[in-house]
Amino acid sequence: MRGITPIKWLRNLVGALFLPLISFCFGIPLGTEGPSVLIGTTVGKGSVSMLATKHKAWSKYSMTGGASAGFSVATGSPISGIMFAIEDVHGRISPMIVMVATISVFFSRITSELLDKIAFLQTDIMLFPSLSKPIALEIKDIWIPLAVGIIVGIMAVLFLNYYRVIYTLFNK
């Protein structure tokens, strides 16, 4: 995004589409986030180079929108795509970044849902159809989320304390 490495968007798009598939066929799965972010970034770069002026700011924002859209579709969470653009891609928050990421994530989620329902005839989640239906808890089972929340909170406090200790050791 900083413009240090030039991106040949068409070559990267073809590579991002086929190389993860080839590696998966050889038994080396890469995951979905990396290729999805690269595909989104190259589509964003290509759309600017084909449709708009070749202004660096437009290119960066379009690539940011594509990357956040790809991450959102890969993880299945729209908020994660927006936070990815703010935290990992730019490292700062600005209204333009939030707006670009939000619009890109919104339209990528709509496109993903339409492709699932129309092209692939999916009505549920592909691999885990039971996860699409919420689990009903009885009132007597209200202690379960409470216990999980307390355990997660304790683990978070322990992790932060461990992180502070490791950080001070590395600084010394």
Side-chain angles (χ1 to χ4, degrees), residues 36 40 64-74 81 84 101 104-109:
S36 296
T64 298
S68 62
F71 192 79
S72 170
V73 169
F84 177 75
S104 299
V105 164
F106 178 73
F107 283 106
S108 70
R109 295 300 300 166

Side-chain angles (χ1 to χ4, degrees), residues 5-172:
T5 306
I7 294 178
K8 296 184 178 8
W9 69 272
L10 189 58
R11 184 184 301 172
N12 284 348
L13 180 63
V14 171
L17 288 172
F18 292 111
L19 291 177
L21 182 64
I22 291 170
S23 71
F24 184 75
C25 289
F26 284 117
I28 309 168
L30 294 174
T32 58
E33 290 87 4
S36 296
V37 168
L38 184 58
I39 289 169
T41 304
T42 55
V43 167
K45 174 77 171 179
S47 65
V48 164
S49 65
M50 287 190 329
L51 301 174
T53 61
K54 296 186 186 335
H55 195 270
K56 277 189 164 189
W58 283 110
S59 179
K60 288 180 183 180
Y61 286 129
S62 180
M63 288 168 46
T64 298
S68 62
F71 192 79
S72 170
V73 169
T75 58
S77 171
I79 298 296
S80 69
I82 297 167
M83 295 307 293
F84 177 75
I86 293 169
E87 184 179 351
D88 291 337
V89 176
H90 285 275
R92 62 184 170 86
I93 188 168
S94 74
M96 187 68 169
I97 294 170
V98 173
M99 183 178 65
V100 165
T102 303
I103 291 171
S104 299
V105 164
F106 178 73
F107 283 106
S108 70
R109 295 300 300 166
I110 290 173
T111 304
S112 174
E113 291 294 323
L114 286 176
L115 280 175
D116 276 348
K117 301 225 181 328
I118 296 170
F120 300 119
L121 302 174
Q122 296 289 325
T123 56
D124 289 334
I125 298 173
M126 195 179 316
L127 296 176
F128 305 105
S130 63
L131 292 179
S132 64
K133 298 175 186 78
I135 300 170
L137 288 176
E138 301 281 330
I139 194 69
K140 65 181 171 88
D141 296 328
I142 198 69
W143 64 272
I144 296 172
L146 184 64
V148 169
I150 290 171
I151 291 170
V152 168
I154 290 170
M155 296 300 285
V157 168
L158 291 175
F159 175 76
L160 287 175
N161 289 333
Y162 175 72
Y163 176 76
R164 285 186 192 129
V165 169
I166 295 297
Y167 185 74
T168 56
L169 286 176
F170 278 132
N171 281 339
K172 288 182 181 178

